[in-house]
DNA sequence: GTTCTAGAAC
DNA sequence: GTTCTAGAAC
């Protein structure tokens, strides 16, 4: 029965985009716009006419998942319409989440348009308020329904009324192209005789040229930025430190060379001193971040940089940020697309150049899934699930940090008390101790506030970058009740030793390090590097220059053999050939969403 | 919800 | 002649 199509679709978890304990999001099989999703409850509620006031919390959850799927797909919430059909055709109540371009080959009939762009579409808020006030939602009278179906085809973005659906579709495409920066002169596209096949090849080609031009202008922004003193956190004669405009973690800075070097591939061994200097600046900016120890920072270059000027990333390893919106954002820091500083330095020192990956490899790495957590064995194909997971790491670290801070305050207090005891031998009562602890905490808090209010300190130390705001409207986890456990499709996690150990995974600072199976690599016996230690960042320790070869390398364990050993011929980068992380042997638990149907789904077949 | 198709509209 | 719409069938 075709009315059960949606129920059949959700029976197969492979169709789920995201889900919670109570609802599921799927893609509309016949999307009427560029983005079109359906949110369905797991509970068997056949239609919108069966909803009552009791369902308001469920409705809220559907709406939350609607926001999440928009976030997952990297789209803007304001571009979407979210609501129900007043006269739905298919069973199981479903919330439409649809982008307002309405450009789609599946938009074929007038009804497709009117069902979303007249009163036949009931926005989420309208239904919610109706249930709140009247405890039910009623079907439209037949005459009203047919009248709405006959509504003129008025554009949803301007006053234009079109004579028929093909004309409206042509008009809607104009809007979409205009929105994407298309000039009006090239809007009028050829409509092919075969239905719904619109030839926009010429248009997209011209679009591409224009977009390339715009991109080039943006690329130059970094060059301009280093001249603008307002953006600069630290400046020297050879480089500056600026805050990243779209930070991909809580702390994200760029050290930008003043010298006109396009990117990391243009570096030669002559630039080793420049790299030393850039590291010194990185050390300085890290040192100014009291909130986070230096071991939580990663320093390196993008192997496929967007900006038109050599810039070195200094980024905290939480990677929890509202700007972390796309899979390529994650992969650019957590695969071989990120070239750690020490690796770049070694390459330059031993080979005199940094060899890049091919364009094909770049593309592959950018889109690579599943996404592996950089702090544990968690993995997921969905960025949203990874972000939810990263959030738990962030919370743990914050709580750890707070506890540590409190302990430090107490120790400090005890030290002070000791001094006072020397002068005044009477032991303080436990009640007094408690009072003193409380007052110290208060004092510490006041001090923090004082520091926060100190504009000069703020300027010199740089702002606390991108501190996560749980209540931010764009935060997908805002107001998410814990019980819903929004984690989408959860995949089995590796539990046995068949999985490669973490040091060999992309996302690890050792991503560029050689792997055991690769023969002839001069670094293959190198022990794992420890995390960066705070006190090793002293600017006076210029351990990266050739003159420091006899010193203990900054990133090495104290007894490790020196990394800057005798040079060996190298015709390739010291990494294993094409061993993407997602080709690791699978564990016994296969992902549940691949192919097989559960027995209880047979009733839908 | 979709596809098919006859007949109206152009 | 082609394009477009709308009802029937699924």
């Amino acid at each position: 029965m075709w009315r059960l199509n949606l129920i059949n679709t959700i029976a197969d978890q492979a169709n789920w985009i995201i889900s919670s304990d109570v609802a599921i999001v799927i893609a509309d099989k016949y999307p009427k716009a560029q983005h079109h999703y359906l949110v369905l409850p797991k509970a068997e509620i056949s239609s919108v006419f069966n909803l009552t006031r009791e369902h308001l919390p469920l409705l809220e959850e559907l709406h939350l998942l609607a926001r999440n799927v928009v976030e997952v797909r990297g789209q803007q919430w304001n571009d979407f319409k979210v609501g129900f059909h007043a006269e739905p055709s298919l069973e199981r109540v479903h919330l439409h989440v649809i982008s307002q371009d309405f450009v789609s080959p599946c938009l074929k009939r007038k009804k497709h348009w009117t069902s979303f762009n007249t009163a036949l579409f009931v926005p989420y808020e309208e239904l919610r308020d109706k249930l709140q006030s009247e405890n039910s939602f009623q079907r439209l009278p037949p005459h009203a329904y047919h009248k709405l179906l006959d509504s003129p085809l008025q554009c949803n973005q301007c006053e234009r009324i079109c004579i028929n659906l093909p004309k409206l579709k042509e008009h809607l495409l104009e809007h979409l192209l205009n929105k994407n920066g298309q000039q009006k002169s090239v809007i009028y596209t050829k409509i092919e005789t075969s239905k719904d096949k619109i030839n926009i090849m010429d248009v997209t080609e011209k679009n591409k040229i224009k977009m390339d031009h715009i991109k080039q202008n943006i690329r130059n922004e970094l060059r301009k930025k280093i001249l603008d003193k307002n953006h600069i956190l630290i400046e020297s004669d050879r480089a500056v430190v600026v805050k990243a405009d779209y930070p991909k973690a809580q702390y994200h800075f760029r050290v930008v060379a003043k010298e006109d070097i396009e990117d990391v591939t243009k570096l030669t061994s002559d630039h080793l001193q420049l790299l030393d200097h850039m590291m010194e600046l990185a050390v300085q900016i890290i040192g100014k971040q009291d909130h986070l120890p230096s071991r939580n920072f990663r320093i390196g270059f993008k192997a496929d940089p967007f900006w038109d000027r050599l810039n070195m990333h200094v980024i905290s390893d939480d990677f929890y940020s509202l700007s972390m919106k796309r899979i390529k954002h994650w992969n650019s820091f957590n695969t071989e697309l990120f070239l750690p500083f020490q690796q770049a330095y070694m390459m330059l020192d031993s080979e005199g150049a940094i060899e890049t990956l091919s364009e094909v490899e770049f593309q592959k790495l950018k889109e690579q899934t599943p996404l592996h957590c950089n702090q544990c064995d968690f993995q997921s194909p969905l960025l949203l699930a990874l972000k939810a997971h990263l959030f738990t790491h962030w919370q743990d670290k914050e709580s750890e940090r707070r506890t540590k801070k409190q302990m430090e305050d107490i120790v400090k207090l005890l030290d002070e008390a000791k001094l006072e005891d020397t002068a005044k031998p009477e032991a303080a009562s436990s009640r007094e101790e408690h009072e003193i602890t409380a007052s110290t905490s208060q004092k510490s808090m006041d001090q923090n506030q004082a520091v926060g209010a100190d504009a000069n300190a703020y300027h010199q130390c740089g702002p606390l970058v991108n501190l996560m705001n749980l209540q931010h409207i764009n935060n997908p986890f805002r107001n998410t009740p814990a019980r819903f456990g929004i984690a989408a499709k959860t995949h089995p996690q590796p539990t046995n030793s068949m999985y490669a150990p973490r040091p060999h995974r992309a996302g690890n600072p050792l991503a560029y390090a050689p792997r055991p199976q690769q023969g002839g690599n001069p670094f293959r016996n190198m022990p794992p590097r420890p995390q960066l230690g705070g006190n090793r960042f002293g600017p006076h320790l210029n351990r990266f220059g050739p003159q420091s070869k006899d010193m203990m390398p900054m990133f090495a364990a104290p007894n490790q053999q020196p990394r800057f050993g005798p040079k060996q011929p190298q015709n390739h980068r010291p990494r294993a050939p094409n061993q993407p992380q997602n080709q690791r042997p699978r564990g016994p638990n296969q992902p549940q969403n691949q192919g097989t149907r559960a027995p209880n789904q047979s009733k839908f077949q």
Side-chain angles (χ1 to χ4, degrees):
Chain A
M1 177 61 178
W2 60 267
R3 283 188 182 277
L4 301 177
N5 280 353
L6 283 183
I7 296 172
N8 292 343
T9 303
I10 59 168
D12 185 352
Q13 288 195 9
N15 294 321
W16 299 7
I17 299 175
I18 53 173
S19 67
S20 72
D21 288 351
V22 296
I24 297 156
V25 184
I26 57 171
D28 193 300
K29 196 176 173 186
Y30 299 93
K32 303 300 184 297
Q34 301 272 299
H35 293 271
H36 188 179
Y37 311 104
L38 304 176
V39 191
L40 297 89
K42 288 184 177 174
E44 292 181 9
I45 304 168
S46 69
S47 92
V48 75
F49 307 118
N50 302 100
L51 295 174
T52 67
R53 209 171 277 142
E54 286 179 5
H55 295 105
L56 284 171
L58 173 67
L59 222 55
E60 197 183 327
E61 170 68 3
L62 299 185
H63 192 246
L64 186 70
L65 277 187
R67 294 195 77 121
N68 286 350
V69 75
V70 171
E71 154 86 14
V72 163
R73 293 299 158 108
Q75 299 301 305
Q76 295 296 318
W77 177 247
N78 289 341
D79 292 341
F80 280 75
K81 286 188 92 153
V82 180
F84 300 83
H85 279 152
E87 194 61 52
S89 303
L90 300 180
E91 282 195 23
R92 184 65 66 85
V93 62
H94 53 280
L95 178 68
H96 287 269
V97 184
I98 185 166
S99 58
Q100 306 208 48
D101 51 84
F102 290 100
V103 172
S104 163
C106 298
L107 189 85
K108 293 178 174 177
R109 304 187 56 178
K110 189 178 183 181
K111 186 183 175 183
H112 294 154
W113 176 257
T114 52
S115 68
F116 286 103
N117 292 283
T118 66
L120 291 174
F121 187 77
V122 186
Y124 161 79
E125 291 81 7
E126 192 179 318
L127 183 78
R128 180 195 59 194
D129 296 346
K130 192 97 174 167
L131 290 180
Q132 187 75 60
S133 58
E134 298 177 22
N135 198 30
S136 71
F137 179 76
Q138 301 295 324
R139 184 173 255 117
L140 282 168
H143 69 274
Y145 173 62
H146 287 107
K147 195 177 171 189
L148 285 167
L149 278 181
D150 275 342
S151 303
L153 292 168
Q154 175 154 25
C155 174
N156 62 338
Q157 293 154 72
C158 71
E159 299 298 312
R160 172 83 72 92
I161 294 174
C162 297
I163 187 83
N164 57 37
L165 196 63
K167 292 279 187 295
L168 176 65
K169 290 186 67 167
E170 200 178 343
H171 177 72
L172 291 167
L173 182 65
E174 289 179 18
H175 276 300
L176 184 65
L177 294 176
N178 274 333
K179 195 180 169 190
N180 292 341
Q182 182 59 48
Q183 291 290 336
K184 210 157 192 174
S185 57
V186 289
I187 283 164
Y188 297 101
T189 55
K190 181 184 161 199
I191 308 292
E192 286 191 346
T193 48
S194 62
K195 280 186 179 179
D196 302 313
K197 294 279 173 72
I198 299 165
N199 181 1
I200 56 170
M201 284 299 286
D202 294 343
V203 176
T204 49
E205 186 56 35
K206 285 174 185 170
N207 231 346
K208 191 173 177 297
I209 293 167
K210 182 165 181 174
M211 292 307 283
D212 283 349
H213 183 68
I214 294 169
K215 261 188 179 176
Q216 191 53 47
N217 276 339
I218 298 171
R219 280 196 177 105
N220 287 332
E221 279 298 307
L222 209 54
R223 290 168 184 260
K224 293 175 194 163
K225 198 172 221 186
I226 61 173
L227 300 172
D228 181 355
K229 302 292 176 196
N230 292 328
H231 286 108
I232 296 173
L233 300 172
I234 301 175
E235 181 168 17
S236 74
D237 55 335
R238 302 194 69 182
V240 298
V241 180
V242 294
K243 171 181 165 292
D245 277 342
Y246 299 98
K248 300 298 183 294
Q250 300 281 294
Y251 298 84
H252 189 179
F253 306 96
R254 294 172 192 273
V255 182
V256 188
K258 284 187 173 176
E259 199 176 323
D260 200 358
I261 304 167
E262 200 176 315
D263 59 55
V264 75
T265 63
K266 306 293 187 295
L267 291 171
T268 67
S269 52
D270 293 340
H271 293 110
L272 287 173
Q273 279 192 340
L274 174 65
L275 286 198
D276 277 332
H277 180 70
M278 289 172 79
M279 175 53 91
E280 279 176 18
L281 294 192
V283 166
Q284 282 181 36
I285 195 70
I286 290 172
K288 289 172 187 290
Q289 312 309 314
D290 294 337
H291 191 71
L292 204 64
S294 55
R295 66 172 177 277
N296 289 114
F297 282 89
R298 293 175 58 188
I299 302 168
F301 301 89
K302 293 273 189 79
D304 178 28
F306 173 80
W307 302 99
D308 212 359
R309 175 63 70 97
L310 177 70
N311 68 101
M312 185 172 84
H313 291 264
V314 179
I315 185 165
S316 55
D317 63 2
D318 53 83
F319 291 108
Y320 194 86
S321 161
L322 295 174
S323 297
M324 180 69 80
K325 287 184 173 173
R326 297 178 193 278
I327 284 173
K328 67 179 178 186
H329 292 157
W330 174 260
N331 284 341
S332 71
F333 286 102
N334 292 284
T335 66
E336 291 176 51
L337 289 170
F338 189 75
L339 181 61
F341 176 88
Q342 60 269 40
Q343 190 66 34
Y345 197 98
M346 279 195 297
M347 282 178 171
L348 277 182
D349 194 30
S350 58
E351 300 173 54
I354 292 171
E355 198 182 317
T356 52
L357 301 166
S358 71
E359 192 57 39
V360 176
E361 285 176 297
F362 279 144
Q363 287 307 323
K364 199 173 161 190
L365 286 167
K366 275 183 189 174
E367 302 304 326
Q368 181 174 279
T369 55
L371 309 170
H372 292 265
C373 174
N374 62 330
Q375 294 161 68
C376 69
D377 282 331
F378 177 86
Q379 58 173 314
S380 168
L382 291 171
L383 184 63
L384 183 73
L386 178 68
K387 286 182 74 172
H389 173 79
L390 290 171
F391 174 51
T392 61
H393 280 303
W394 182 85
Q395 273 185 319
D396 290 348
K397 280 186 182 166
E398 275 300 288
S399 133
E400 201 177 295
R401 190 192 64 79
R402 250 180 264 121
T403 312
K404 196 180 162 196
K405 181 86 175 68
Q406 281 168 1
M407 287 302 291
E408 282 171 3
D409 286 345
I410 291 170
V411 169
K412 196 176 162 190
L413 168 81
L414 289 175
D415 285 347
E416 285 173 8
K418 256 185 197 169
L419 286 173
E420 285 174 15
D421 285 351
T422 316
K424 196 175 74 176
E426 301 90 58
S429 72
S430 63
R431 188 177 61 82
E432 281 167 343
E433 273 180 22
H434 177 77
E435 281 170 2
I436 294 168
T437 307
S439 79
T440 306
S441 299
Q442 184 59 42
K443 192 177 153 195
S444 156
M445 204 179 294
D446 292 344
Q447 278 172 347
N448 286 341
Q449 283 169 357
V451 169
D454 186 337
N456 191 40
Y458 184 86
H459 178 72
Q460 285 181 1
C461 302
L464 285 179
V465 182
N466 195 36
L467 279 181
M468 185 179 59
N469 178 4
L470 267 180
Q471 292 308 311
H472 191 283
I473 194 161
N474 286 333
N475 191 316
F477 311 108
R478 189 172 69 117
N479 298 334
T480 307
R483 69 178 185 281
F484 289 135
I486 293 174
K489 290 185 283 188
T490 49
H491 289 249
Q493 297 306 310
T495 53
N496 64 48
S497 58
M498 286 182 69
Y499 286 84
R502 286 192 60 233
H504 297 281
R505 280 227 319 263
N508 187 283
L510 292 174
Y512 275 80
R515 302 181 184 177
Q517 60 270 44
Q518 186 182 13
N521 191 308
F523 307 112
R524 67 178 179 278
N525 295 323
M526 203 158 61
R529 295 171 204 140
Q531 286 190 301
L532 309 184
N535 56 5
R536 293 182 183 174
F537 275 107
H540 58 286
L541 292 175
N542 184 2
R543 288 170 174 162
F544 285 90
Q547 74 280 11
S548 62
K549 283 179 184 175
D550 55 344
M551 296 174 67
M552 185 177 71
M554 180 189 284
F555 295 97
N559 297 323
Q560 182 179 325
Q561 82 180 58
R563 187 169 303 135
F564 301 104
K567 290 178 188 174
Q568 296 193 20
Q570 276 190 330
N571 297 325
H572 52 79
R573 303 174 68 169
R575 63 185 168 78
N578 295 333
Q579 291 182 352
Q581 57 190 7
N582 55 3
Q583 290 181 9
R584 295 182 304 151
R586 280 193 183 282
N589 298 327
Q590 294 292 329
Q592 56 188 353
N593 297 329
Q594 293 183 356
T596 53
R597 280 177 180 276
N600 64 356
Q601 292 164 359
S602 57
K603 62 181 174 182
F604 299 125
Q605 290 175 345

